Structure formats: C-alpha cells, structure tokens
Amino acid sequence: MKKYRARDLVTTYLFVLPGILLFSLFSLFPFFKVFQLSVFDWDGIATHMRFVGLANFHTALFRDPSWWNSIQNAGVITLLSLTFQNVLALILALIVDREIRGKHFYRVVFYLPPVLSGIVVGLVWNWIFNGSHGLLNHALKGLGIGGFEHFSWLGEPKTALYAVSVIHMWKGFGWGFVILLAGLQAIPRELNEAARVDGAGEWRIFTRITVPLMIPVFSLVSILTILGTMQIYDIIVSTTNGGPAGHTDVPITQILLAMEGSARFGYACSLGIVFGIILLAVSLVQMRLSKWSSRYS
Amino acid sequence: MTAHSSALQRPTDKFQYQALLYRAMHYARHALAHLICLSVAATCLFPLLWMLSSSLKTQSTVFSDMSLWVHQPLWNNYYVAWTRGNFGQYFFNSLFYTIVVVGGVIVTSSLAAYAFSRLRFPGRNFMFLLIISTMMIPIPGSFIALYVLLVKLHLVDTRLGYILPQINGGLALGVFLFKTFFDKMPQDLEDAARIDGCNKFQVYWHVAMPLAKPAIAVLIVFNALAVWNEYLLAFLVLSDQSLMPLQRGLMVFQGSLITDYPLLMAGIAISIAPIVALYLLMQRYIVAGITAGALKM
C-alpha cells in the first residue's frame, strides 16, 4: 500500500519537475545571485571576487551622475507616454467605442505597431528622422517650414530624447488603446442610456459614469506603461544607443555598460537592484493614488 | 408627413428645422470621428508602407525618390538580403527558436498546471504561488546573473542556452492560464476517464488538454511574438552569427553595411512578414488575451 502511494507521488512530481527545474534555474537562482553579486566587486571572469559590502550601492546612489541621468531620461519618456500616448489612446478608445462601423478594422490597425519589435520600429523610424534624407525633413520642406534641411532629430542633443519618445509612443499607443477599449466596453450600456434619458449631457456621463468605472483600468494601464517605459531598451539600441552624449541613455543601457563595458558585474547588479526598488516604489505610489481616487469618486 | 419627405422639402417650421440641424450635427460628428480614427490609422501604417517601398528602391534612388509608389521595384533586394545579407539564416534561427520555445512553454506549463490543478501533493500551493509571483514583479538586471549562470553551465553561444531561459520566461503566464482552464474541468469527466483505466498522464492528455484549446492558442501567439521580437538575451548570449535570430541579425547588418538602406529595409520586411501574418490570423486571440488579463486585474 505504501509503495503504491510513493509511486503515485513520484509520477505526480514528474508533472511539475520540468517547470520547477527551469524555474529554479532561470528565475530563482538569478534572483538571489543578483543580490549576492551586488556586494562584491567582480569583473565577470576572475575566479576570486572581492567583497565590498554596500560600496556598490553607495556609488550608485551618490557618485554616479550618469546613472541618475539615465533614470531622468527614462522618466521623461515615461511621463510623455503617460500623458500624450495614453490620453490619445483614451480619446480614440472613446470614439471607437461609439462607432460600430470599422471598430474591428481600427483595433487591428492600431495594435499593429505594438506587435513589432523595438528593433524593427527603431530602424524604420531612424529613416524618418534622418537628417539628410529623412522623411520628416522632406515633409517639413514640402509644407514650407524651412530651416530643417539637415537637422538630425535623433542626433541633436536638444531633440534626441523627444524623438525617441515619439517613436516609443507610436509603438505603444495601440496597446493602451486595446486595454482602454476593453474597459469601456465592459461598462453596461444601460447606465449610459439611463443617464441620457434622465437628461445628462455627454460630458456629465463621461465624468460621472465612465471615469469612475474606468479608474481600475486607468490604474492598470498607468502601472504597465510606467514599468514598460522605464525599462525601454530595444528602441534605444536601434536608434541612438544612448547618444548623443548620454542624452538618450536609459537605465538598462547603463546597467549593460557597467556589465559589458566596464566589466563591473557587482556594480551592475547593484544598479539593477536600485532600479528595481525605484520601480517598486513608483508602482506602490501609483496603486495608492488609484485607491485614493476611486474612494474619492 | 414622414420625416424623410420633410428632409427633402424646405423645413416649414422651427421644429423640423431643429430636427434637420440635429441630423446634420450628428453626421458631422460621425465624419469627424472617422477622420480622427483614419488619421491615426494612417500614422500607424505609413512608416511601414514607407519601409516597404524603400526596400524596393535602389541605393541611389532611395535618398532622392520620396514617393511611396515604386515604378521599377527591385525585388532582387530581397534575394540579396536573404543570401548575402544572411537574413535567410537569421530567419531560420528565429523560426527554430520560436517553435521550440513555444512548444516547450506549452508542454512544461500545461503539465505543471495540471498537477497544480487536479493532483494533490505537498508544496503544491507554495510552488504555484512562487511561479505566479514572478509575473507581477519585474526584476531588472536579472539578466546579469542569468548570463553568469549560462557561463557556468557552458551554455553561452549555444542554441540551448538561448532557448531554455525563454521557456522559463513563458512559464508564469502559461501555468496561470492552463490552471484557470483545468480548474473548470468537471470532475465527472476525470472520474469517467479514470474508471476507463486512464492514468494521470492519459487524463491530462486526452481529457484536460483538449478543453484548454483557447489557452493554447493565446499562449502560442504571445510566446511566438515574445521570442520572435527578443533582442537583449540574444545580444548577451549569442556571438556566433550563424546562431543569431532576426532581431540580433538586423543590428549586425545595420552595423556592418551602414549605407545600404534598401537592403536593410528588405531585411526588416523579411523580419516582420511572419509576425504580421501571424498577427492578422490570430489577433482575435491577442486581443482576447490582453482584455481578459486586464479586466481580471
């Protein structure tokens, strides 16, 4: 009887074995390893690592202006995404929600850019923003707006970050649109109809019915936008690679620089942890904000 | 007097005039909404159309000819990109990695999810929560430790080293989705199968999996997109060009042949063709997956 039960348990464990094995190896181990490496000074090759305690964190927090510059850059892109990208997505979701004709078509077209890779998107937009042969400058010339003959939008320090933001927003818009549209469609039609019968205008319906019901969806889209945009990387690699002069440097490129460029694995790990804590803090603040606003309305 | 005939005649009283005005405003709003939507749709599609038309131009005309339509399409560009540009090799690699990882994710996560859902064993809840928790918490910088691990396992610059972490990457969502479906399986079905002499695996294979077809579809699409568009891991792990997937290959190509834009555009077109095809076929599942996930949260 006991032998049967043991064999039964063994076969059961075989079900979870591949998953648990992969998970332990490629999720659990790296998670703890990052913390371990962060307190050492290591170039990735030497057999001996030098223990440095919290020195890496001290450097990261107080003596690395390029790190905080990268955080700021990512923050700018994130802020622009949270506002322009998501507001536009909301406006279009509201419009498409009402329209019956073409809803399917628009959803398919709008979600096409998010499906592409950051590398592809960056390489295509490189072309549009190109200084000498770019489409944007050509269009501006055609519209009669002079002065941008050879202006390299991605190469000039003043505009590079905003150009990258435009690319990121172009790619990300459809994703926010789909989620917001789903949220809108989950609102029962009867609520709107009843309000209209009671004489409420469109704006009233929007502020009193739509917005309060959509707050969880807004919150979700915001958190995911923040988390996704702060960790932007592929678009940077294919367009500016952090330049010009660090104006489009982002946290991930900084971490990779510490790891591959200056061979400081321990320091790179500490940057990763600091970054993780920043993201966690921002997420928590965002969740608090949404709880507060839903209670208020 | 019907409303229709009153629209044809001149409005004879104030009431009919107001009705006409209201109708006109309604159509105007409709038209404006469509105009906005179409403009955004055009913005989404235009860069891609531009990329396609550039891929068919010659090196000399691609800078001067700014029209979208190509009079003498140079289809040979695609052949050159495929052979001399190595995009055939990159394409095969991407296809290989995608199929293997998607298959691996579905098999591994469904087996584990079946155990979490229908079988009993010590540590069941703990393991499940552990795996699911990684879905919520992003750990930036974990790729550093992942790289170190792959070095230790001698998996750097190997296909296996690139594949295994990605299977692990798809586990959390896979387990979550499959468990949701398996939980809904009626106990009677399982009992009937057991009485007929099926062992655990046979019940999983013949009864549970067919019920989870929508989950399988969603996971195929999500994971295929993720693997096909992956860049960072390929950058870290693979240095042998013959192993590189498309995204990495694109950057290698861009770095080496800086000036040959039409070929690069052809390479990009090759890179996105399967993904766009998959997207158009399966976008139903993508949208359903995102909206279901978003609304659940």
Side-chain angles (χ1 to χ4, degrees), chain A residues 42-64:
Chain A
W42 187 44
D43 64 352
I45 307 173
T47 44
H48 179 68
M49 300 192 286
R50 191 168 62 97
F51 182 78
V52 290
L54 294 173
N56 284 334
F57 290 96
H58 181 84
T59 314
L61 288 173
F62 303 116
R63 291 196 202 288
D64 196 345

mmCIF file with all atom_site columns, all heavy atoms in Angstrom, chain A residues 42-64:
data_model
loop_
_atom_site.group_PDB
_atom_site.id
_atom_site.type_symbol
_atom_site.label_atom_id
_atom_site.label_alt_id
_atom_site.label_comp_id
_atom_site.label_asym_id
_atom_site.label_entity_id
_atom_site.label_seq_id
_atom_site.pdbx_PDB_ins_code
_atom_site.Cartn_x
_atom_site.Cartn_y
_atom_site.Cartn_z
_atom_site.occupancy
_atom_site.B_iso_or_equiv
_atom_site.pdbx_formal_charge
_atom_site.auth_seq_id
_atom_site.auth_comp_id
_atom_site.auth_asym_id
_atom_site.auth_atom_id
_atom_site.pdbx_PDB_model_num
ATOM 1   N N   . TRP A 1 42 ? 33.494 42.466 -8.998  1.00 0.00 ? 42 TRP A N   1
ATOM 2   C CA  . TRP A 1 42 ? 33.864 41.332 -9.823  1.00 0.00 ? 42 TRP A CA  1
ATOM 3   C C   . TRP A 1 42 ? 33.824 41.720 -11.282 1.00 0.00 ? 42 TRP A C   1
ATOM 4   O O   . TRP A 1 42 ? 32.900 42.413 -11.724 1.00 0.00 ? 42 TRP A O   1
ATOM 5   C CB  . TRP A 1 42 ? 32.884 40.182 -9.567  1.00 0.00 ? 42 TRP A CB  1
ATOM 6   C CG  . TRP A 1 42 ? 33.248 38.908 -10.223 1.00 0.00 ? 42 TRP A CG  1
ATOM 7   C CD1 . TRP A 1 42 ? 34.488 38.330 -10.288 1.00 0.00 ? 42 TRP A CD1 1
ATOM 8   C CD2 . TRP A 1 42 ? 32.365 38.028 -10.912 1.00 0.00 ? 42 TRP A CD2 1
ATOM 9   N NE1 . TRP A 1 42 ? 34.428 37.137 -10.962 1.00 0.00 ? 42 TRP A NE1 1
ATOM 10  C CE2 . TRP A 1 42 ? 33.124 36.934 -11.365 1.00 0.00 ? 42 TRP A CE2 1
ATOM 11  C CE3 . TRP A 1 42 ? 31.000 38.047 -11.201 1.00 0.00 ? 42 TRP A CE3 1
ATOM 12  C CZ2 . TRP A 1 42 ? 32.588 35.875 -12.091 1.00 0.00 ? 42 TRP A CZ2 1
ATOM 13  C CZ3 . TRP A 1 42 ? 30.460 36.993 -11.918 1.00 0.00 ? 42 TRP A CZ3 1
ATOM 14  C CH2 . TRP A 1 42 ? 31.260 35.924 -12.356 1.00 0.00 ? 42 TRP A CH2 1
ATOM 15  N N   . ASP A 1 43 ? 34.814 41.257 -12.039 1.00 0.00 ? 43 ASP A N   1
ATOM 16  C CA  . ASP A 1 43 ? 34.836 41.620 -13.453 1.00 0.00 ? 43 ASP A CA  1
ATOM 17  C C   . ASP A 1 43 ? 34.180 40.564 -14.330 1.00 0.00 ? 43 ASP A C   1
ATOM 18  O O   . ASP A 1 43 ? 34.177 40.684 -15.543 1.00 0.00 ? 43 ASP A O   1
ATOM 19  C CB  . ASP A 1 43 ? 36.273 41.875 -13.918 1.00 0.00 ? 43 ASP A CB  1
ATOM 20  C CG  . ASP A 1 43 ? 37.123 40.621 -13.841 1.00 0.00 ? 43 ASP A CG  1
ATOM 21  O OD1 . ASP A 1 43 ? 36.654 39.608 -13.287 1.00 0.00 ? 43 ASP A OD1 1
ATOM 22  O OD2 . ASP A 1 43 ? 38.254 40.651 -14.330 1.00 0.00 ? 43 ASP A OD2 1
ATOM 23  N N   . GLY A 1 44 ? 33.654 39.545 -13.739 1.00 0.00 ? 44 GLY A N   1
ATOM 24  C CA  . GLY A 1 44 ? 32.953 38.538 -14.525 1.00 0.00 ? 44 GLY A CA  1
ATOM 25  C C   . GLY A 1 44 ? 33.829 37.378 -14.951 1.00 0.00 ? 44 GLY A C   1
ATOM 26  O O   . GLY A 1 44 ? 33.313 36.355 -15.390 1.00 0.00 ? 44 GLY A O   1
ATOM 27  N N   . ILE A 1 45 ? 35.114 37.530 -14.868 1.00 0.00 ? 45 ILE A N   1
ATOM 28  C CA  . ILE A 1 45 ? 36.000 36.459 -15.330 1.00 0.00 ? 45 ILE A CA  1
ATOM 29  C C   . ILE A 1 45 ? 36.847 35.892 -14.192 1.00 0.00 ? 45 ILE A C   1
ATOM 30  O O   . ILE A 1 45 ? 36.994 34.694 -14.056 1.00 0.00 ? 45 ILE A O   1
ATOM 31  C CB  . ILE A 1 45 ? 36.938 36.960 -16.450 1.00 0.00 ? 45 ILE A CB  1
ATOM 32  C CG1 . ILE A 1 45 ? 36.109 37.605 -17.565 1.00 0.00 ? 45 ILE A CG1 1
ATOM 33  C CG2 . ILE A 1 45 ? 37.768 35.825 -17.003 1.00 0.00 ? 45 ILE A CG2 1
ATOM 34  C CD1 . ILE A 1 45 ? 36.963 38.276 -18.620 1.00 0.00 ? 45 ILE A CD1 1
ATOM 35  N N   . ALA A 1 46 ? 37.393 36.773 -13.368 1.00 0.00 ? 46 ALA A N   1
ATOM 36  C CA  . ALA A 1 46 ? 38.321 36.340 -12.311 1.00 0.00 ? 46 ALA A CA  1
ATOM 37  C C   . ALA A 1 46 ? 37.661 35.330 -11.392 1.00 0.00 ? 46 ALA A C   1
ATOM 38  O O   . ALA A 1 46 ? 36.467 35.400 -11.121 1.00 0.00 ? 46 ALA A O   1
ATOM 39  C CB  . ALA A 1 46 ? 38.779 37.553 -11.513 1.00 0.00 ? 46 ALA A CB  1
ATOM 40  N N   . THR A 1 47 ? 38.419 34.385 -10.903 1.00 0.00 ? 47 THR A N   1
ATOM 41  C CA  . THR A 1 47 ? 37.872 33.358 -10.046 1.00 0.00 ? 47 THR A CA  1
ATOM 42  C C   . THR A 1 47 ? 37.589 33.878 -8.651  1.00 0.00 ? 47 THR A C   1
ATOM 43  O O   . THR A 1 47 ? 36.776 33.338 -7.919  1.00 0.00 ? 47 THR A O   1
ATOM 44  C CB  . THR A 1 47 ? 38.827 32.155 -9.927  1.00 0.00 ? 47 THR A CB  1
ATOM 45  O OG1 . THR A 1 47 ? 40.146 32.651 -9.737  1.00 0.00 ? 47 THR A OG1 1
ATOM 46  C CG2 . THR A 1 47 ? 38.769 31.310 -11.183 1.00 0.00 ? 47 THR A CG2 1
ATOM 47  N N   . HIS A 1 48 ? 38.279 34.952 -8.279  1.00 0.00 ? 48 HIS A N   1
ATOM 48  C CA  . HIS A 1 48 ? 38.072 35.467 -6.933  1.00 0.00 ? 48 HIS A CA  1
ATOM 49  C C   . HIS A 1 48 ? 37.307 36.785 -6.993  1.00 0.00 ? 48 HIS A C   1
ATOM 50  O O   . HIS A 1 48 ? 37.626 37.670 -7.770  1.00 0.00 ? 48 HIS A O   1
ATOM 51  C CB  . HIS A 1 48 ? 39.431 35.670 -6.250  1.00 0.00 ? 48 HIS A CB  1
ATOM 52  C CG  . HIS A 1 48 ? 39.302 36.223 -4.865  1.00 0.00 ? 48 HIS A CG  1
ATOM 53  N ND1 . HIS A 1 48 ? 38.754 35.500 -3.833  1.00 0.00 ? 48 HIS A ND1 1
ATOM 54  C CD2 . HIS A 1 48 ? 39.605 37.431 -4.364  1.00 0.00 ? 48 HIS A CD2 1
ATOM 55  C CE1 . HIS A 1 48 ? 38.750 36.254 -2.739  1.00 0.00 ? 48 HIS A CE1 1
ATOM 56  N NE2 . HIS A 1 48 ? 39.264 37.425 -3.023  1.00 0.00 ? 48 HIS A NE2 1
ATOM 57  N N   . MET A 1 49 ? 36.280 36.891 -6.138  1.00 0.00 ? 49 MET A N   1
ATOM 58  C CA  . MET A 1 49 ? 35.522 38.141 -6.079  1.00 0.00 ? 49 MET A CA  1
ATOM 59  C C   . MET A 1 49 ? 35.876 38.878 -4.797  1.00 0.00 ? 49 MET A C   1
ATOM 60  O O   . MET A 1 49 ? 36.034 38.284 -3.753  1.00 0.00 ? 49 MET A O   1
ATOM 61  C CB  . MET A 1 49 ? 34.025 37.840 -6.108  1.00 0.00 ? 49 MET A CB  1
ATOM 62  C CG  . MET A 1 49 ? 33.568 37.103 -7.346  1.00 0.00 ? 49 MET A CG  1
ATOM 63  S SD  . MET A 1 49 ? 31.770 37.081 -7.502  1.00 0.00 ? 49 MET A SD  1
ATOM 64  C CE  . MET A 1 49 ? 31.344 35.896 -6.249  1.00 0.00 ? 49 MET A CE  1
ATOM 65  N N   . ARG A 1 50 ? 35.939 40.181 -4.903  1.00 0.00 ? 50 ARG A N   1
ATOM 66  C CA  . ARG A 1 50 ? 36.312 40.954 -3.715  1.00 0.00 ? 50 ARG A CA  1
ATOM 67  C C   . ARG A 1 50 ? 35.044 41.483 -3.041  1.00 0.00 ? 50 ARG A C   1
ATOM 68  O O   . ARG A 1 50 ? 34.235 42.169 -3.660  1.00 0.00 ? 50 ARG A O   1
ATOM 69  C CB  . ARG A 1 50 ? 37.214 42.118 -4.154  1.00 0.00 ? 50 ARG A CB  1
ATOM 70  C CG  . ARG A 1 50 ? 37.886 42.859 -3.016  1.00 0.00 ? 50 ARG A CG  1
ATOM 71  C CD  . ARG A 1 50 ? 38.966 43.780 -3.580  1.00 0.00 ? 50 ARG A CD  1
ATOM 72  N NE  . ARG A 1 50 ? 38.396 44.787 -4.468  1.00 0.00 ? 50 ARG A NE  1
ATOM 73  C CZ  . ARG A 1 50 ? 38.095 46.037 -4.095  1.00 0.00 ? 50 ARG A CZ  1
ATOM 74  N NH1 . ARG A 1 50 ? 38.321 46.421 -2.861  1.00 0.00 ? 50 ARG A NH1 1
ATOM 75  N NH2 . ARG A 1 50 ? 37.571 46.885 -4.960  1.00 0.00 ? 50 ARG A NH2 1
ATOM 76  N N   . PHE A 1 51 ? 34.926 41.170 -1.744  1.00 0.00 ? 51 PHE A N   1
ATOM 77  C CA  . PHE A 1 51 ? 33.739 41.614 -1.012  1.00 0.00 ? 51 PHE A CA  1
ATOM 78  C C   . PHE A 1 51 ? 33.845 43.096 -0.694  1.00 0.00 ? 51 PHE A C   1
ATOM 79  O O   . PHE A 1 51 ? 34.844 43.553 -0.166  1.00 0.00 ? 51 PHE A O   1
ATOM 80  C CB  . PHE A 1 51 ? 33.599 40.800 0.288   1.00 0.00 ? 51 PHE A CB  1
ATOM 81  C CG  . PHE A 1 51 ? 32.375 41.170 1.071   1.00 0.00 ? 51 PHE A CG  1
ATOM 82  C CD1 . PHE A 1 51 ? 31.126 40.712 0.700   1.00 0.00 ? 51 PHE A CD1 1
ATOM 83  C CD2 . PHE A 1 51 ? 32.479 42.004 2.191   1.00 0.00 ? 51 PHE A CD2 1
ATOM 84  C CE1 . PHE A 1 51 ? 29.996 41.066 1.416   1.00 0.00 ? 51 PHE A CE1 1
ATOM 85  C CE2 . PHE A 1 51 ? 31.352 42.354 2.924   1.00 0.00 ? 51 PHE A CE2 1
ATOM 86  C CZ  . PHE A 1 51 ? 30.107 41.885 2.532   1.00 0.00 ? 51 PHE A CZ  1
ATOM 87  N N   . VAL A 1 52 ? 32.821 43.853 -1.065  1.00 0.00 ? 52 VAL A N   1
ATOM 88  C CA  . VAL A 1 52 ? 32.886 45.287 -0.820  1.00 0.00 ? 52 VAL A CA  1
ATOM 89  C C   . VAL A 1 52 ? 31.697 45.809 -0.037  1.00 0.00 ? 52 VAL A C   1
ATOM 90  O O   . VAL A 1 52 ? 31.492 47.011 0.066   1.00 0.00 ? 52 VAL A O   1
ATOM 91  C CB  . VAL A 1 52 ? 32.976 46.073 -2.157  1.00 0.00 ? 52 VAL A CB  1
ATOM 92  C CG1 . VAL A 1 52 ? 34.313 45.854 -2.824  1.00 0.00 ? 52 VAL A CG1 1
ATOM 93  C CG2 . VAL A 1 52 ? 31.839 45.702 -3.072  1.00 0.00 ? 52 VAL A CG2 1
ATOM 94  N N   . GLY A 1 53 ? 30.894 44.925 0.459   1.00 0.00 ? 53 GLY A N   1
ATOM 95  C CA  . GLY A 1 53 ? 29.763 45.370 1.265   1.00 0.00 ? 53 GLY A CA  1
ATOM 96  C C   . GLY A 1 53 ? 28.821 46.233 0.463   1.00 0.00 ? 53 GLY A C   1
ATOM 97  O O   . GLY A 1 53 ? 28.439 45.892 -0.653  1.00 0.00 ? 53 GLY A O   1
ATOM 98  N N   . LEU A 1 54 ? 28.457 47.374 1.012   1.00 0.00 ? 54 LEU A N   1
ATOM 99  C CA  . LEU A 1 54 ? 27.468 48.221 0.355   1.00 0.00 ? 54 LEU A CA  1
ATOM 100 C C   . LEU A 1 54 ? 28.109 49.311 -0.496  1.00 0.00 ? 54 LEU A C   1
ATOM 101 O O   . LEU A 1 54 ? 27.437 50.259 -0.895  1.00 0.00 ? 54 LEU A O   1
ATOM 102 C CB  . LEU A 1 54 ? 26.559 48.868 1.403   1.00 0.00 ? 54 LEU A CB  1
ATOM 103 C CG  . LEU A 1 54 ? 25.672 47.892 2.179   1.00 0.00 ? 54 LEU A CG  1
ATOM 104 C CD1 . LEU A 1 54 ? 24.938 48.612 3.301   1.00 0.00 ? 54 LEU A CD1 1
ATOM 105 C CD2 . LEU A 1 54 ? 24.675 47.231 1.241   1.00 0.00 ? 54 LEU A CD2 1
ATOM 106 N N   . ALA A 1 55 ? 29.408 49.147 -0.797  1.00 0.00 ? 55 ALA A N   1
ATOM 107 C CA  . ALA A 1 55 ? 30.117 50.185 -1.554  1.00 0.00 ? 55 ALA A CA  1
ATOM 108 C C   . ALA A 1 55 ? 29.471 50.423 -2.910  1.00 0.00 ? 55 ALA A C   1
ATOM 109 O O   . ALA A 1 55 ? 29.339 51.559 -3.360  1.00 0.00 ? 55 ALA A O   1
ATOM 110 C CB  . ALA A 1 55 ? 31.586 49.801 -1.715  1.00 0.00 ? 55 ALA A CB  1
ATOM 111 N N   . ASN A 1 56 ? 29.064 49.342 -3.589  1.00 0.00 ? 56 ASN A N   1
ATOM 112 C CA  . ASN A 1 56 ? 28.421 49.497 -4.891  1.00 0.00 ? 56 ASN A CA  1
ATOM 113 C C   . ASN A 1 56 ? 27.175 50.349 -4.793  1.00 0.00 ? 56 ASN A C   1
ATOM 114 O O   . ASN A 1 56 ? 26.924 51.219 -5.630  1.00 0.00 ? 56 ASN A O   1
ATOM 115 C CB  . ASN A 1 56 ? 28.055 48.125 -5.459  1.00 0.00 ? 56 ASN A CB  1
ATOM 116 C CG  . ASN A 1 56 ? 29.268 47.395 -6.009  1.00 0.00 ? 56 ASN A CG  1
ATOM 117 O OD1 . ASN A 1 56 ? 30.244 48.012 -6.416  1.00 0.00 ? 56 ASN A OD1 1
ATOM 118 N ND2 . ASN A 1 56 ? 29.197 46.077 -6.011  1.00 0.00 ? 56 ASN A ND2 1
ATOM 119 N N   . PHE A 1 57 ? 26.379 50.091 -3.748  1.00 0.00 ? 57 PHE A N   1
ATOM 120 C CA  . PHE A 1 57 ? 25.142 50.855 -3.591  1.00 0.00 ? 57 PHE A CA  1
ATOM 121 C C   . PHE A 1 57 ? 25.442 52.312 -3.285  1.00 0.00 ? 57 PHE A C   1
ATOM 122 O O   . PHE A 1 57 ? 24.758 53.218 -3.759  1.00 0.00 ? 57 PHE A O   1
ATOM 123 C CB  . PHE A 1 57 ? 24.283 50.251 -2.481  1.00 0.00 ? 57 PHE A CB  1
ATOM 124 C CG  . PHE A 1 57 ? 23.717 48.925 -2.860  1.00 0.00 ? 57 PHE A CG  1
ATOM 125 C CD1 . PHE A 1 57 ? 24.343 47.753 -2.476  1.00 0.00 ? 57 PHE A CD1 1
ATOM 126 C CD2 . PHE A 1 57 ? 22.562 48.848 -3.613  1.00 0.00 ? 57 PHE A CD2 1
ATOM 127 C CE1 . PHE A 1 57 ? 23.821 46.525 -2.848  1.00 0.00 ? 57 PHE A CE1 1
ATOM 128 C CE2 . PHE A 1 57 ? 22.030 47.627 -3.983  1.00 0.00 ? 57 PHE A CE2 1
ATOM 129 C CZ  . PHE A 1 57 ? 22.671 46.458 -3.606  1.00 0.00 ? 57 PHE A CZ  1
ATOM 130 N N   . HIS A 1 58 ? 26.496 52.523 -2.489  1.00 0.00 ? 58 HIS A N   1
ATOM 131 C CA  . HIS A 1 58 ? 26.896 53.889 -2.177  1.00 0.00 ? 58 HIS A CA  1
ATOM 132 C C   . HIS A 1 58 ? 27.261 54.652 -3.438  1.00 0.00 ? 58 HIS A C   1
ATOM 133 O O   . HIS A 1 58 ? 26.812 55.783 -3.666  1.00 0.00 ? 58 HIS A O   1
ATOM 134 C CB  . HIS A 1 58 ? 28.066 53.862 -1.192  1.00 0.00 ? 58 HIS A CB  1
ATOM 135 C CG  . HIS A 1 58 ? 28.528 55.221 -0.790  1.00 0.00 ? 58 HIS A CG  1
ATOM 136 N ND1 . HIS A 1 58 ? 27.932 55.937 0.229   1.00 0.00 ? 58 HIS A ND1 1
ATOM 137 C CD2 . HIS A 1 58 ? 29.499 56.011 -1.279  1.00 0.00 ? 58 HIS A CD2 1
ATOM 138 C CE1 . HIS A 1 58 ? 28.539 57.104 0.351   1.00 0.00 ? 58 HIS A CE1 1
ATOM 139 N NE2 . HIS A 1 58 ? 29.494 57.181 -0.549  1.00 0.00 ? 58 HIS A NE2 1
ATOM 140 N N   . THR A 1 59 ? 28.050 53.994 -4.297  1.00 0.00 ? 59 THR A N   1
ATOM 141 C CA  . THR A 1 59 ? 28.422 54.619 -5.566  1.00 0.00 ? 59 THR A CA  1
ATOM 142 C C   . THR A 1 59 ? 27.192 54.888 -6.414  1.00 0.00 ? 59 THR A C   1
ATOM 143 O O   . THR A 1 59 ? 27.029 55.966 -6.975  1.00 0.00 ? 59 THR A O   1
ATOM 144 C CB  . THR A 1 59 ? 29.378 53.704 -6.352  1.00 0.00 ? 59 THR A CB  1
ATOM 145 O OG1 . THR A 1 59 ? 30.376 53.208 -5.485  1.00 0.00 ? 59 THR A OG1 1
ATOM 146 C CG2 . THR A 1 59 ? 30.020 54.461 -7.498  1.00 0.00 ? 59 THR A CG2 1
ATOM 147 N N   . ALA A 1 60 ? 26.329 53.894 -6.495  1.00 0.00 ? 60 ALA A N   1
ATOM 148 C CA  . ALA A 1 60 ? 25.147 54.029 -7.348  1.00 0.00 ? 60 ALA A CA  1
ATOM 149 C C   . ALA A 1 60 ? 24.275 55.181 -6.899  1.00 0.00 ? 60 ALA A C   1
ATOM 150 O O   . ALA A 1 60 ? 23.770 55.955 -7.713  1.00 0.00 ? 60 ALA A O   1
ATOM 151 C CB  . ALA A 1 60 ? 24.356 52.726 -7.336  1.00 0.00 ? 60 ALA A CB  1
ATOM 152 N N   . LEU A 1 61 ? 24.113 55.322 -5.578  1.00 0.00 ? 61 LEU A N   1
ATOM 153 C CA  . LEU A 1 61 ? 23.188 56.330 -5.083  1.00 0.00 ? 61 LEU A CA  1
ATOM 154 C C   . LEU A 1 61 ? 23.784 57.730 -5.065  1.00 0.00 ? 61 LEU A C   1
ATOM 155 O O   . LEU A 1 61 ? 23.084 58.708 -5.253  1.00 0.00 ? 61 LEU A O   1
ATOM 156 C CB  . LEU A 1 61 ? 22.716 55.956 -3.677  1.00 0.00 ? 61 LEU A CB  1
ATOM 157 C CG  . LEU A 1 61 ? 21.750 54.764 -3.598  1.00 0.00 ? 61 LEU A CG  1
ATOM 158 C CD1 . LEU A 1 61 ? 21.488 54.398 -2.145  1.00 0.00 ? 61 LEU A CD1 1
ATOM 159 C CD2 . LEU A 1 61 ? 20.443 55.086 -4.288  1.00 0.00 ? 61 LEU A CD2 1
ATOM 160 N N   . PHE A 1 62 ? 25.090 57.839 -4.805  1.00 0.00 ? 62 PHE A N   1
ATOM 161 C CA  . PHE A 1 62 ? 25.647 59.162 -4.553  1.00 0.00 ? 62 PHE A CA  1
ATOM 162 C C   . PHE A 1 62 ? 26.728 59.606 -5.526  1.00 0.00 ? 62 PHE A C   1
ATOM 163 O O   . PHE A 1 62 ? 27.005 60.786 -5.624  1.00 0.00 ? 62 PHE A O   1
ATOM 164 C CB  . PHE A 1 62 ? 26.198 59.230 -3.130  1.00 0.00 ? 62 PHE A CB  1
ATOM 165 C CG  . PHE A 1 62 ? 25.162 58.894 -2.094  1.00 0.00 ? 62 PHE A CG  1
ATOM 166 C CD1 . PHE A 1 62 ? 25.303 57.765 -1.290  1.00 0.00 ? 62 PHE A CD1 1
ATOM 167 C CD2 . PHE A 1 62 ? 24.043 59.683 -1.938  1.00 0.00 ? 62 PHE A CD2 1
ATOM 168 C CE1 . PHE A 1 62 ? 24.347 57.455 -0.349  1.00 0.00 ? 62 PHE A CE1 1
ATOM 169 C CE2 . PHE A 1 62 ? 23.074 59.375 -1.008  1.00 0.00 ? 62 PHE A CE2 1
ATOM 170 C CZ  . PHE A 1 62 ? 23.224 58.257 -0.200  1.00 0.00 ? 62 PHE A CZ  1
ATOM 171 N N   . ARG A 1 63 ? 27.370 58.636 -6.214  1.00 0.00 ? 63 ARG A N   1
ATOM 172 C CA  . ARG A 1 63 ? 28.510 59.065 -7.006  1.00 0.00 ? 63 ARG A CA  1
ATOM 173 C C   . ARG A 1 63 ? 28.395 58.720 -8.482  1.00 0.00 ? 63 ARG A C   1
ATOM 174 O O   . ARG A 1 63 ? 29.385 58.598 -9.173  1.00 0.00 ? 63 ARG A O   1
ATOM 175 C CB  . ARG A 1 63 ? 29.793 58.393 -6.470  1.00 0.00 ? 63 ARG A CB  1
ATOM 176 C CG  . ARG A 1 63 ? 30.190 58.910 -5.129  1.00 0.00 ? 63 ARG A CG  1
ATOM 177 C CD  . ARG A 1 63 ? 31.640 58.538 -4.804  1.00 0.00 ? 63 ARG A CD  1
ATOM 178 N NE  . ARG A 1 63 ? 31.864 58.565 -3.371  1.00 0.00 ? 63 ARG A NE  1
ATOM 179 C CZ  . ARG A 1 63 ? 31.917 59.686 -2.651  1.00 0.00 ? 63 ARG A CZ  1
ATOM 180 N NH1 . ARG A 1 63 ? 31.776 60.834 -3.226  1.00 0.00 ? 63 ARG A NH1 1
ATOM 181 N NH2 . ARG A 1 63 ? 32.097 59.618 -1.347  1.00 0.00 ? 63 ARG A NH2 1
ATOM 182 N N   . ASP A 1 64 ? 27.166 58.546 -8.960  1.00 0.00 ? 64 ASP A N   1
ATOM 183 C CA  . ASP A 1 64 ? 27.046 58.161 -10.366 1.00 0.00 ? 64 ASP A CA  1
ATOM 184 C C   . ASP A 1 64 ? 26.027 59.060 -11.071 1.00 0.00 ? 64 ASP A C   1
ATOM 185 O O   . ASP A 1 64 ? 24.868 58.681 -11.221 1.00 0.00 ? 64 ASP A O   1
ATOM 186 C CB  . ASP A 1 64 ? 26.633 56.696 -10.476 1.00 0.00 ? 64 ASP A CB  1
ATOM 187 C CG  . ASP A 1 64 ? 26.862 56.145 -11.866 1.00 0.00 ? 64 ASP A CG  1
ATOM 188 O OD1 . ASP A 1 64 ? 27.060 56.958 -12.800 1.00 0.00 ? 64 ASP A OD1 1
ATOM 189 O OD2 . ASP A 1 64 ? 26.848 54.921 -12.032 1.00 0.00 ? 64 ASP A OD2 1
#
